[in-house]
Amino acid sequence: MKQCLLLLILPFLLFGACRNNTAGSVDREELFTLEIGLMEDQIALYKLDGNRGIKRTGFTMRDGLFYISDGNSGKIVRYNSYGDLLFMIYNEETNPVPLTLKTNISADEAATRWAFTHPLEEPGWITVDSRRHIFVEDRLPIQQQKIDTETRALHDGIILHFDQDGRFINYLGKDGIGGSPFPRIVGLSSSIRDELSVVCRIPDGWEIYWFSPQGQLLYLVKISANQVPALPDWPNAFAVVDSITSSVDSRRLYIKVDYSRDTFDQSTNTRTGSEPIGSCIWTLNVEDGTYTDSVEIPLYEIIENGRPSNIRVFYSLLGTARSGKTLFYFPVENGYTLIYIDLFTREQRRGSIRFSNEEQIFNDFYLSAEGILCAMLADTFSVKMVWWRTDRFIGEIK
C-alpha cells in the first residue's frame, strides 16, 4: 500500500484554452416509475407521515440495469430499464417478506426473480463493477462505531461486497477485507479495472482509499482542506474543495476547487462579503500523489428577465465519464443548465435538461462511464427513473 500525503500548493500549472460550443436541450427518456412504500417493488423515500426519510437513497446504472440502495427500508434492488424487479437484498427485520420473489435460493437452484436476506443497517452509496458485483456503503451499529482521537472523525462506515446474484461475499474496511471502519463516506466508484475507490470526509480534509478487485488496499491519498492548489493569477484567493471524484478509466482523482475573493465597501474599506473569481478541476495521479494538470471551469452568469445580471456563480460537478469527459450543472427554472468539458482536449459544450418543479422535491443523478446521465426524480407520490442521452450530446464534439 502506498500512502500519499498532499500538502503542497502548486501554482505553476496553466489553464488550457477552451473552445465554447452551444447545444440545445438534451431529450429526456422516461424509463419506469416506482411507488413510495415498503413493499419489494416500492422505495421508502418518504415516511408514512409524508416527511422525507433521514437516511440516504442511492443508485447506480450499469449495462442498462439500475441498482437502488434504499437506506430508509434497508434493502438493495436491481431493475432492468423497463422497471422489472430482478432481485432484492433486504433486511428481514425492516422489510416485509417479498410476495413476488423467490427467497434464499441455493447456488444450483434456477430462478428468474429472487431475494436474499442480509442485516443491512443503512445502505447508501452504491457502485457496480464489470462483473456486476455490488459494492454498497453501510453503517455500523452505534456500539461498533469509533472516534479517531487524532482527526476527531467518526469512523462508522463499511463497504459490503455482494456477487452478481446478490449473495454476500465479504466487507471492506479502510485496511481492506475485514478492516476497521471508514470515516464519513462521500463517494464510491469502480473503474474499468474493477478497482474500487472510497472518498471519505474528515474534519480537516479528505481521505481517498483505492482498492484492488481482490480487496487489497493499494493507495491512500490524504488531502488537507487548508492546503489545496492555488490559482496561478490569484495566489491569495480563498479556495474551497467542492467535490472529489475518481476517474473511471485511470488511477486519477479529479478535484473541483472553487475560488473566491473578499469584497469591500470602497468608502469605508470594510469587508462586505465575497464573490466567485474562478473554478477548476485539478487532476491528481493516485500512484505518486502529484498534480498533473488543471482545467478552468467557467462561471455561470445568472439570467434575470432574459438578460445577464452580472451575477456569476459556480457550477457543480455532475460526474466524469471515460476519457475525462465531464459534466457540470447549475439549477435553473424547470431543470438544469449544463456545461460539458473534456479535461484532456479542453473542448466544451453547453446545453440543458428539463424537468418539472414538482420533480425537484427529490432528485439524484448518476453519470455512467459511457456518458449517459441518469436520474431518480421524486414527487409526492412516486419515484421516476429517467435518463438523458448525454452520451450523444458529448459525442457531438469533434
Side-chain angles (χ1 to χ4, degrees):
M1 184 272 290
K2 183 173 181 179
Q3 178 170 321
C4 306
L5 183 60
L6 306 174
L7 299 175
L8 297 179
I9 298 178
L10 306 180
F12 303 111
L13 295 179
L14 298 179
F15 295 133
C18 295
R19 258 201 324 263
N20 187 4
N21 299 297
T22 302
S25 178
V26 182
D27 291 337
R28 163 174 154 178
E29 297 182 25
E30 306 283 341
L31 299 176
F32 57 94
T33 301
L34 303 173
E35 295 180 348
I36 304 294
L38 288 173
M39 301 302 292
E40 63 257 37
D41 57 349
Q42 298 176 331
I43 298 298
L45 194 63
Y46 306 128
K47 297 179 181 179
L48 295 178
D49 61 6
N51 292 324
R52 175 74 176 91
I54 61 173
K55 299 178 180 178
R56 178 176 172 80
T57 300
F59 84 100
T60 189
M61 189 276 289
R62 180 113 193 186
D63 303 324
L65 300 174
F66 287 81
Y67 301 77
I68 303 173
S69 60
D70 187 348
N72 289 303
S73 68
K75 71 181 179 185
I76 302 164
V77 287
R78 183 172 79 184
Y79 288 88
N80 63 21
S81 59
Y82 299 101
D84 299 320
L85 177 60
L86 304 178
F87 74 65
M88 178 172 72
I89 308 164
Y90 70 102
N91 186 331
E92 57 189 341
E93 295 184 358
T94 56
N95 289 269
V97 176
L99 299 177
T100 63
L101 303 176
K102 193 174 181 67
T103 58
N104 294 322
I105 63 173
S106 62
D108 56 354
E109 188 176 358
T112 57
R113 302 169 70 242
W114 61 92
F116 289 103
T117 61
H118 190 84
L120 296 165
E121 287 281 337
E122 194 176 330
W125 292 95
I126 185 170
T127 189
V128 177
D129 68 15
S130 67
R131 303 166 295 180
R132 293 188 179 173
H133 282 207
I134 301 167
F135 296 86
V136 63
E137 167 204 13
D138 201 9
R139 302 282 185 186
L140 289 173
I142 293 178
Q143 61 270 23
Q144 298 180 32
Q145 299 176 7
K146 301 178 181 179
I147 296 287
D148 187 308
T149 55
E150 181 179 349
T151 65
R152 307 182 309 282
L154 174 64
H155 290 232
D156 64 348
I158 57 174
I159 303 298
L160 302 178
H161 179 190
F162 300 91
D163 70 10
Q164 69 275 13
D165 294 322
R167 294 182 176 89
F168 178 70
I169 297 177
N170 53 40
Y171 77 87
L172 292 178
K174 62 181 185 177
D175 314 304
I177 295 175
S180 55
F182 294 96
R184 181 165 66 96
I185 296 171
V186 295
L188 180 66
S189 62
S190 56
S191 73
I192 59 173
R193 301 180 184 182
D194 289 336
E195 295 178 347
L196 186 75
S197 68
V198 185
V199 181
C200 298
R201 189 72 167 92
I202 59 176
D204 60 352
W206 288 261
E207 293 180 349
I208 298 92
Y209 299 82
W210 202 282
F211 298 94
S212 72
Q214 296 75 35
Q216 176 189 3
L217 180 60
L218 299 176
Y219 304 96
L220 168 58
V221 178
K222 295 185 178 183
I223 300 175
S224 170
N226 297 323
Q227 295 181 323
V228 296
L231 276 177
D233 296 333
W234 295 90
N236 297 320
F238 180 65
V240 174
V241 175
D242 177 57
S243 60
I244 299 175
T245 188
S246 303
S247 169
V248 298
D249 53 3
S250 64
R251 289 175 174 170
R252 296 188 182 98
L253 294 174
Y254 298 123
I255 304 169
K256 180 176 179 288
V257 183
D258 297 331
Y259 300 88
S260 303
R261 65 176 178 181
D262 291 333
T263 56
F264 295 88
D265 185 306
Q266 298 297 324
S267 61
T268 62
N269 199 33
T270 57
R271 183 179 180 276
T272 58
S274 63
E275 64 178 3
I277 57 172
S279 183
C280 71
I281 291 285
W282 293 85
T283 300
L284 186 145
N285 186 322
V286 171
E287 295 177 343
D288 61 17
T290 61
Y291 289 98
T292 60
D293 202 0
S294 62
V295 178
E296 184 177 10
I297 311 303
L299 297 174
Y300 176 72
E301 187 168 10
I302 300 291
I303 303 297
E304 294 181 346
N305 300 320
R307 296 181 179 180
S309 66
N310 294 322
I311 300 174
R312 302 190 305 164
V313 293
F314 299 118
Y315 280 98
S316 296
L317 178 64
L318 261 179
T320 302
R322 291 177 181 168
S323 302
K325 298 181 183 298
T326 306
L327 276 179
F328 303 85
Y329 73 100
F330 185 81
V332 294
E333 185 177 3
N334 293 325
Y336 289 104
T337 183
L338 301 179
I339 182 169
Y340 154 74
I341 296 181
D342 188 313
L343 299 182
F344 297 150
T345 67
R346 272 59 168 180
E347 292 182 289
Q348 66 177 244
R349 181 179 296 272
R350 298 174 189 268
S352 62
I353 58 174
R354 301 295 177 189
F355 48 86
S356 68
N357 290 332
E358 290 76 15
E359 293 171 333
Q360 297 189 45
I361 294 176
F362 170 87
N363 56 64
D364 192 18
F365 294 91
Y366 172 73
L367 183 67
S368 75
E370 297 74 28
I372 300 174
L373 180 61
C374 310
M376 178 186 294
L377 307 176
D379 56 25
T380 306
F381 305 104
S382 62
V383 176
K384 295 179 182 178
M385 304 303 298
V386 306
W387 67 28
W388 293 266
R389 294 305 301 265
T390 43
D391 56 331
R392 300 167 184 166
F393 162 65
I394 289 171
E396 292 175 358
I397 295 180
K398 306 299 183 182

mmCIF file of all heavy atoms in Angstrom, residues 169-192:
data_model
loop_
_atom_site.group_PDB
_atom_site.id
_atom_site.type_symbol
_atom_site.label_atom_id
_atom_site.label_comp_id
_atom_site.label_asym_id
_atom_site.label_seq_id
_atom_site.Cartn_x
_atom_site.Cartn_y
_atom_site.Cartn_z
ATOM 1 N N ILE A 169 -20.427 -11.593 -0.094
ATOM 2 C CA ILE A 169 -19.079 -12.158 -0.190
ATOM 3 C C ILE A 169 -18.258 -11.791 1.035
ATOM 4 O O ILE A 169 -17.759 -12.649 1.763
ATOM 5 C CB ILE A 169 -18.379 -11.688 -1.482
ATOM 6 C CG1 ILE A 169 -19.130 -12.198 -2.717
ATOM 7 C CG2 ILE A 169 -16.918 -12.153 -1.507
ATOM 8 C CD1 ILE A 169 -18.545 -11.728 -4.029
ATOM 9 N N ASN A 170 -18.071 -10.484 1.278
ATOM 10 C CA ASN A 170 -17.306 -10.024 2.437
ATOM 11 C C ASN A 170 -17.555 -8.526 2.595
ATOM 12 O O ASN A 170 -18.375 -7.946 1.880
ATOM 13 C CB ASN A 170 -15.805 -10.322 2.281
ATOM 14 C CG ASN A 170 -15.237 -9.790 0.963
ATOM 15 O OD1 ASN A 170 -15.589 -8.696 0.523
ATOM 16 N ND2 ASN A 170 -14.369 -10.557 0.326
ATOM 17 N N TYR A 171 -16.850 -7.913 3.532
ATOM 18 C CA TYR A 171 -16.945 -6.463 3.652
ATOM 19 C C TYR A 171 -15.544 -5.867 3.669
ATOM 20 O O TYR A 171 -14.562 -6.510 4.053
ATOM 21 C CB TYR A 171 -17.737 -6.044 4.894
ATOM 22 C CG TYR A 171 -16.997 -6.132 6.212
ATOM 23 C CD1 TYR A 171 -16.218 -5.063 6.662
ATOM 24 C CD2 TYR A 171 -17.062 -7.274 7.007
ATOM 25 C CE1 TYR A 171 -15.528 -5.127 7.871
ATOM 26 C CE2 TYR A 171 -16.379 -7.352 8.216
ATOM 27 C CZ TYR A 171 -15.619 -6.281 8.637
ATOM 28 O OH TYR A 171 -14.936 -6.336 9.817
ATOM 29 N N LEU A 172 -15.456 -4.616 3.229
ATOM 30 C CA LEU A 172 -14.202 -3.871 3.203
ATOM 31 C C LEU A 172 -14.223 -2.783 4.262
ATOM 32 O O LEU A 172 -15.222 -2.061 4.403
ATOM 33 C CB LEU A 172 -13.972 -3.216 1.839
ATOM 34 C CG LEU A 172 -13.707 -4.109 0.634
ATOM 35 C CD1 LEU A 172 -13.563 -3.253 -0.611
ATOM 36 C CD2 LEU A 172 -12.469 -4.947 0.839
ATOM 37 N N GLY A 173 -13.137 -2.685 5.007
ATOM 38 C CA GLY A 173 -12.869 -1.533 5.843
ATOM 39 C C GLY A 173 -11.710 -0.769 5.241
ATOM 40 O O GLY A 173 -11.209 -1.105 4.166
ATOM 41 N N LYS A 174 -11.237 0.246 5.926
ATOM 42 C CA LYS A 174 -10.193 1.094 5.346
ATOM 43 C C LYS A 174 -8.863 0.360 5.197
ATOM 44 O O LYS A 174 -7.997 0.810 4.444
ATOM 45 C CB LYS A 174 -10.023 2.368 6.155
ATOM 46 C CG LYS A 174 -9.579 2.168 7.589
ATOM 47 C CD LYS A 174 -9.464 3.511 8.292
ATOM 48 C CE LYS A 174 -8.906 3.363 9.694
ATOM 49 N NZ LYS A 174 -8.732 4.666 10.367
ATOM 50 N N ASP A 175 -8.696 -0.799 5.863
ATOM 51 C CA ASP A 175 -7.472 -1.593 5.720
ATOM 52 C C ASP A 175 -7.627 -2.716 4.702
ATOM 53 O O ASP A 175 -6.683 -3.464 4.458
ATOM 54 C CB ASP A 175 -7.080 -2.196 7.081
ATOM 55 C CG ASP A 175 -7.154 -1.173 8.198
ATOM 56 O OD1 ASP A 175 -6.492 -0.140 8.066
ATOM 57 O OD2 ASP A 175 -7.897 -1.403 9.171
ATOM 58 N N GLY A 176 -8.801 -2.860 4.120
ATOM 59 C CA GLY A 176 -9.058 -3.957 3.194
ATOM 60 C C GLY A 176 -10.151 -4.864 3.717
ATOM 61 O O GLY A 176 -11.011 -4.443 4.510
ATOM 62 N N ILE A 177 -10.140 -6.132 3.278
ATOM 63 C CA ILE A 177 -11.180 -7.080 3.680
ATOM 64 C C ILE A 177 -11.181 -7.247 5.202
ATOM 65 O O ILE A 177 -10.148 -7.531 5.807
ATOM 66 C CB ILE A 177 -10.959 -8.440 2.997
ATOM 67 C CG1 ILE A 177 -11.119 -8.296 1.471
ATOM 68 C CG2 ILE A 177 -11.958 -9.481 3.524
ATOM 69 C CD1 ILE A 177 -10.795 -9.559 0.702
ATOM 70 N N GLY A 178 -12.357 -7.043 5.809
ATOM 71 C CA GLY A 178 -12.492 -7.186 7.251
ATOM 72 C C GLY A 178 -11.821 -6.089 8.061
ATOM 73 O O GLY A 178 -11.649 -6.235 9.263
ATOM 74 N N GLY A 179 -11.454 -4.985 7.417
ATOM 75 C CA GLY A 179 -10.707 -3.922 8.086
ATOM 76 C C GLY A 179 -11.560 -3.044 8.982
ATOM 77 O O GLY A 179 -12.783 -3.197 9.068
ATOM 78 N N SER A 180 -10.916 -2.087 9.624
ATOM 79 C CA SER A 180 -11.600 -1.168 10.535
ATOM 80 C C SER A 180 -12.455 -0.188 9.734
ATOM 81 O O SER A 180 -12.224 0.044 8.547
ATOM 82 C CB SER A 180 -10.578 -0.420 11.394
ATOM 83 O OG SER A 180 -9.625 0.243 10.576
ATOM 84 N N PRO A 181 -13.471 0.413 10.360
ATOM 85 C CA PRO A 181 -14.442 1.233 9.619
ATOM 86 C C PRO A 181 -13.851 2.508 9.031
ATOM 87 O O PRO A 181 -12.860 3.051 9.521
ATOM 88 C CB PRO A 181 -15.515 1.541 10.664
ATOM 89 C CG PRO A 181 -14.851 1.351 11.982
ATOM 90 C CD PRO A 181 -13.836 0.277 11.778
ATOM 91 N N PHE A 182 -14.519 2.985 7.975
ATOM 92 C CA PHE A 182 -14.153 4.227 7.301
ATOM 93 C C PHE A 182 -14.740 5.421 8.056
ATOM 94 O O PHE A 182 -15.774 5.308 8.704
ATOM 95 C CB PHE A 182 -14.728 4.263 5.881
ATOM 96 C CG PHE A 182 -14.176 3.240 4.939
ATOM 97 C CD1 PHE A 182 -14.847 2.033 4.728
ATOM 98 C CD2 PHE A 182 -13.011 3.471 4.233
ATOM 99 C CE1 PHE A 182 -14.368 1.099 3.836
ATOM 100 C CE2 PHE A 182 -12.508 2.533 3.336
ATOM 101 C CZ PHE A 182 -13.195 1.333 3.143
ATOM 102 N N PRO A 183 -14.097 6.606 7.893
ATOM 103 C CA PRO A 183 -14.801 7.841 8.273
ATOM 104 C C PRO A 183 -15.933 8.109 7.288
ATOM 105 O O PRO A 183 -16.183 7.301 6.384
ATOM 106 C CB PRO A 183 -13.694 8.900 8.195
ATOM 107 C CG PRO A 183 -12.671 8.332 7.271
ATOM 108 C CD PRO A 183 -12.738 6.841 7.416
ATOM 109 N N ARG A 184 -16.615 9.230 7.433
ATOM 110 C CA ARG A 184 -17.819 9.503 6.638
ATOM 111 C C ARG A 184 -17.552 9.361 5.144
ATOM 112 O O ARG A 184 -16.707 10.054 4.573
ATOM 113 C CB ARG A 184 -18.351 10.902 6.947
ATOM 114 C CG ARG A 184 -19.630 11.247 6.172
ATOM 115 C CD ARG A 184 -20.323 12.453 6.764
ATOM 116 N NE ARG A 184 -19.532 13.661 6.627
ATOM 117 C CZ ARG A 184 -19.680 14.542 5.642
ATOM 118 N NH1 ARG A 184 -20.577 14.340 4.703
ATOM 119 N NH2 ARG A 184 -18.939 15.638 5.604
ATOM 120 N N ILE A 185 -18.277 8.459 4.499
ATOM 121 C CA ILE A 185 -18.105 8.187 3.065
ATOM 122 C C ILE A 185 -18.941 9.184 2.263
ATOM 123 O O ILE A 185 -20.143 9.351 2.507
ATOM 124 C CB ILE A 185 -18.517 6.743 2.748
ATOM 125 C CG1 ILE A 185 -17.594 5.757 3.478
ATOM 126 C CG2 ILE A 185 -18.479 6.483 1.241
ATOM 127 C CD1 ILE A 185 -18.042 4.309 3.400
ATOM 128 N N VAL A 186 -18.292 9.858 1.293
ATOM 129 C CA VAL A 186 -18.984 10.841 0.462
ATOM 130 C C VAL A 186 -18.875 10.501 -1.021
ATOM 131 O O VAL A 186 -19.320 11.274 -1.871
ATOM 132 C CB VAL A 186 -18.447 12.267 0.716
ATOM 133 C CG1 VAL A 186 -18.748 12.703 2.138
ATOM 134 C CG2 VAL A 186 -16.943 12.354 0.437
ATOM 135 N N GLY A 187 -18.302 9.345 -1.356
ATOM 136 C CA GLY A 187 -18.200 8.929 -2.738
ATOM 137 C C GLY A 187 -17.732 7.497 -2.847
ATOM 138 O O GLY A 187 -16.912 7.045 -2.038
ATOM 139 N N LEU A 188 -18.236 6.779 -3.840
ATOM 140 C CA LEU A 188 -17.887 5.376 -4.049
ATOM 141 C C LEU A 188 -17.987 5.086 -5.532
ATOM 142 O O LEU A 188 -19.000 5.394 -6.162
ATOM 143 C CB LEU A 188 -18.850 4.479 -3.263
ATOM 144 C CG LEU A 188 -18.644 2.967 -3.348
ATOM 145 C CD1 LEU A 188 -17.324 2.564 -2.702
ATOM 146 C CD2 LEU A 188 -19.807 2.232 -2.665
ATOM 147 N N SER A 189 -16.925 4.515 -6.125
ATOM 148 C CA SER A 189 -16.960 4.233 -7.556
ATOM 149 C C SER A 189 -16.031 3.081 -7.888
ATOM 150 O O SER A 189 -15.106 2.762 -7.134
ATOM 151 C CB SER A 189 -16.570 5.470 -8.375
ATOM 152 O OG SER A 189 -15.247 5.870 -8.082
ATOM 153 N N SER A 190 -16.290 2.444 -9.031
ATOM 154 C CA SER A 190 -15.436 1.366 -9.531
ATOM 155 C C SER A 190 -14.936 1.739 -10.913
ATOM 156 O O SER A 190 -15.618 2.435 -11.677
ATOM 157 C CB SER A 190 -16.202 0.041 -9.581
ATOM 158 O OG SER A 190 -17.380 0.171 -10.358
ATOM 159 N N SER A 191 -13.723 1.281 -11.254
ATOM 160 C CA SER A 191 -13.097 1.628 -12.524
ATOM 161 C C SER A 191 -13.197 0.468 -13.496
ATOM 162 O O SER A 191 -13.661 -0.626 -13.161
ATOM 163 C CB SER A 191 -11.623 1.983 -12.296
ATOM 164 O OG SER A 191 -10.873 0.804 -12.018
ATOM 165 N N ILE A 192 -12.738 0.697 -14.745
ATOM 166 C CA ILE A 192 -12.776 -0.370 -15.741
ATOM 167 C C ILE A 192 -11.824 -1.500 -15.378
ATOM 168 O O ILE A 192 -11.915 -2.600 -15.926
ATOM 169 C CB ILE A 192 -12.446 0.169 -17.151
ATOM 170 C CG1 ILE A 192 -11.047 0.814 -17.185
ATOM 171 C CG2 ILE A 192 -13.499 1.165 -17.609
ATOM 172 C CD1 ILE A 192 -10.613 1.195 -18.581
#
